[in-house]
Amino acid sequence: MQDKVVAVVPAAGSGRRMGAQRAKQFLDLGGMPLLSRTCALLEQVPQVHQVVVVAPPGQERELRETCLAPFCLPKLALVASGGRERQDSVMAGARAAAGLGAKWVLVHDAVRPLAEPAIFARVLAAAKDCGAAVAAMPCIDTVKQADPELRVRATLDRSQLWLVQTPQGFSLELLLEAQDQARARGLLATDEAGLIEAMGREVRLVMGSRDNIKITTPEDLALARRLIGEPRTRTGQGLDAHRLVPGRPLILGGVRLEYELGLLGHSDADVLTHAVMDALLAAAGLGDIGRLFPDSDAAFKDADSLELLARVRQSLAREGWRAVQVSVTLMAQRPKIAPHAPAMALNLARVLGIAASEVNVAATTSEGLGFPGRGEGMAALALATIARLEPQTG
Ligand code: MG
């Protein structure tokens, strides 16, 4: 193909500024990792023929399995191995693009999934005109220069200042030449255009967009979630049932009730707390307690279900979620539950770190109908609402 355009997506960063356990390109935005969303965006850019993703060295397979394979990305041509610096990774991507027969490359950050397709078209058109073009935004805020003690040294003329984004578009031949020269001279630049400028060649600015943010901090991620209109809360449902047998304690919502029968199960069989756990996990899209605490695991034999609930809370927190409200209804013929309901709600609220007023424990008989009515067992149905944890700052 003449005039072939390959997008190079450097995704080899370690995400040090995000402070998360995972590198930032793996973080979830609206149900997709950032990198996947960026690759899906490139599928929507008609000018881009193929895509090369550059992975952190040693993480090529993980990146392919978690961010690429689960999504429909027909333009994805290959995953290249990155280097230590961004510049090394883009070089690996540019060489891979050369192998694909590219004439033009569009370098785009993995963590800028909100660029509009029209920006790529503008950048490519300008790059075809002069060899190199980058998306940028005029500087609107006043810009001051300060020393390390934060004393202002100068106010810069903002009318001449632009904030550079990606995509950055290049003639591949020019980019490879710039990279070779930079390597020979030991030159490091924070973007590819900087290498072209160092050669004394023209780089043109093209209008980017305000929404085309680079997601590198938890605050950026929270902003991106607002920009895509991601719902702030989610709701899940949980249902559980256990058999009543002699010789077992009856524990409901962490409260031990005086009764001649108790619930049978691998753990303490706290059916009420189990339904709440399932509702929370469902809301976060984490499956159910069977996945988290398998029956086959001896560690959970006679386990205190409130402790398991605390672990569910931790699992949610790892995914960036917190519980905000729980409503659970127990179906049981006997004993009387209502006098104990406030204590159960308090237990659940304490473990989840929310106010007791956000937990409602209700109980109903089934008027003698079915297994709860015959006193053979108990069932519980729960709804849980969860919300995003506030981004951690600092
Ligand atoms: Mg259960």
Side-chain angles (χ1 to χ4, degrees):
M1 184 191 295
Q2 281 213 329
D3 258 21
K4 186 174 192 177
V5 179
V6 170
V8 170
V9 181
S14 61
R16 285 174 290 251
R17 272 174 290 184
M18 191 60 88
Q21 288 168 326
R22 276 172 292 185
K24 55 186 183 265
Q25 58 271 25
F26 294 100
L27 292 175
D28 179 276
L29 175 63
M32 285 173 92
L34 291 179
L35 170 62
S36 320
R37 195 171 265 275
T38 296
C39 289
L41 159 73
L42 291 166
E43 294 291 331
Q44 306 303 313
V45 179
Q47 291 81 6
V48 170
H49 300 114
Q50 284 184 299
V51 175
V52 170
V53 170
V54 189
Q59 290 183 49
E60 297 84 354
R61 195 171 148 191
E62 184 195 354
L63 186 133
R64 192 184 278 283
E65 285 176 1
T66 58
C67 297
L68 303 174
F71 303 96
C72 179
L73 302 170
K75 288 184 186 174
L76 180 69
L78 59 93
V79 176
S81 291
R84 209 162 62 87
E85 300 293 337
R86 176 199 161 87
Q87 197 169 307
D88 304 324
S89 296
V90 174
M91 195 184 304
R95 288 193 176 143
L100 294 170
K103 181 146 191 255
W104 305 96
V105 285
L106 285 164
V107 178
H108 188 59
D109 295 330
V111 291
R112 286 189 196 267
L114 303 182
E116 297 138 34
I119 302 176
F120 293 86
R122 289 199 289 273
V123 168
L124 184 65
K128 284 185 172 179
D129 201 36
C130 72
V134 302
M137 290 301 291
C139 194
I140 287 173
D141 297 318
T142 296
V143 183
K144 295 197 186 288
Q145 193 171 31
D147 66 16
E149 280 74 47
L150 302 185
R151 287 175 298 218
V152 172
R153 288 293 175 230
T155 298
L156 306 181
D157 176 8
R158 71 177 177 198
S159 69
Q160 293 191 34
L161 295 176
W162 288 72
L163 304 172
V164 170
Q165 307 179 334
T166 69
Q168 304 202 345
F170 308 98
S171 131
L172 180 57
E173 198 183 347
L174 178 62
L175 179 61
L176 290 172
E177 189 188 342
Q179 287 171 333
D180 282 346
Q181 287 201 16
R183 203 175 35 169
R185 293 164 54 192
L187 194 70
L188 266 182
T190 52
D191 72 346
E192 285 57 57
L195 305 179
I196 312 280
E197 293 156 46
M199 290 168 67
R201 299 284 291 267
E202 181 185 346
V203 175
R204 199 169 297 168
L205 299 181
V206 168
M207 194 61 79
S209 83
R210 291 267 160 236
D211 287 357
N212 182 19
I213 57 170
K214 188 174 185 179
I215 301 170
T216 58
T217 68
E219 291 83 359
D220 299 334
L221 190 58
L223 174 61
R225 288 186 169 127
R226 288 199 293 279
L227 286 170
I228 67 162
E230 187 182 274
R232 315 269 331 242
T233 61
R234 283 161 65 165
T235 300
Q237 173 185 263
L239 173 65
D240 196 26
H242 281 262
R243 185 184 293 276
L244 278 164
V245 294
R248 288 269 299 181
L250 177 62
I251 296 168
L252 294 167
V255 175
R256 190 170 176 147
L257 281 80
E258 288 303 321
Y259 191 50
E260 64 265 28
L261 303 174
L263 293 169
L264 182 66
H266 185 64
S267 66
D268 64 6
D270 182 340
V271 66
L272 189 112
T273 303
H274 290 186
V276 170
M277 289 194 277
D278 269 343
L280 289 163
L281 291 168
L286 294 175
D288 57 32
I289 50 178
R291 198 200 289 179
L292 215 59
F293 311 117
D295 270 0
S296 53
D297 191 333
F300 304 123
K301 175 125 179 59
D302 298 322
D304 177 345
S305 292
L306 288 184
E307 281 174 22
L308 302 183
L309 180 64
R311 292 172 62 161
V312 166
R313 180 186 174 184
Q314 287 167 6
S315 294
L316 258 64
R318 273 196 294 275
E319 299 296 318
W321 296 104
R322 64 185 168 89
V324 289
Q325 198 174 39
V326 167
S327 173
V328 56
T329 302
L330 182 77
M331 195 179 278
Q333 200 64 30
R334 287 196 315 125
K336 274 220 166 305
I337 303 301
H340 307 286
M344 296 174 191
L346 199 60
N347 279 342
L348 298 172
R350 177 175 48 79
V351 174
L352 294 173
I354 56 179
S357 57
E358 301 299 340
V359 179
N360 194 73
V361 174
T364 182
T365 71
S366 58
E367 307 221 342
L369 296 169
F371 72 86
R374 292 190 298 270
E376 294 167 8
M378 293 182 178
L381 180 66
L383 283 178
T385 302
I386 61 173
R388 281 278 172 204
L389 282 164
E390 295 308 314
Q392 305 292 307
T393 52

